[in-house]
Amino acid sequence: MQLYEGEIGKTYIVEDMHMPLETERRMEALGMTRKTSVTVMNKKRRGAMVIKLRGTRFALGQEILKHIQVKEAGSHE
């Protein structure tokens, strides 16, 4: 599933990111790498989302969120 489909309060594990190289490098610099846990803190009407990543809150737009593949933490798929 893509991260933008996530639900408030749930934690997800980043499986893969398919975005332009520059954007992907910037996300990695912020700490979002594969197998990192991400908690959805809030969702906005227009698709933006506030996430908690490595103890820091970030707001991301839907254009970035739809390129981040995640699975729910604790699932064994």
Side-chain angles (χ1 to χ4, degrees), residues 60-74:
L60 300 176
Q62 186 174 6
E63 284 302 310
I64 292 176
L65 294 169
K66 70 182 182 182
H67 295 289
I68 301 171
Q69 190 76 25
V70 297
K71 68 176 179 181
E72 194 167 342

Side-chain angles (χ1 to χ4, degrees), residues 21-76:
L21 186 60
E22 182 179 321
T23 306
E24 188 169 340
R25 294 290 179 244
R26 183 168 293 196
M27 297 305 294
E28 289 173 354
L30 294 173
M32 183 176 285
T33 56
R34 285 157 184 82
K35 299 185 181 176
T36 302
S37 67
V38 175
T39 303
V40 177
M41 304 299 290
N42 200 356
K43 291 177 89 168
K44 304 294 181 180
R45 276 194 194 128
R46 296 184 184 227
M49 185 179 279
V50 178
I51 62 167
K52 192 170 203 176
L53 173 68
R54 297 183 186 256
T56 304
R57 294 168 65 122
F58 292 99
L60 300 176
Q62 186 174 6
E63 284 302 310
I64 292 176
L65 294 169
K66 70 182 182 182
H67 295 289
I68 301 171
Q69 190 76 25
V70 297
K71 68 176 179 181
E72 194 167 342
S75 67
H76 299 287

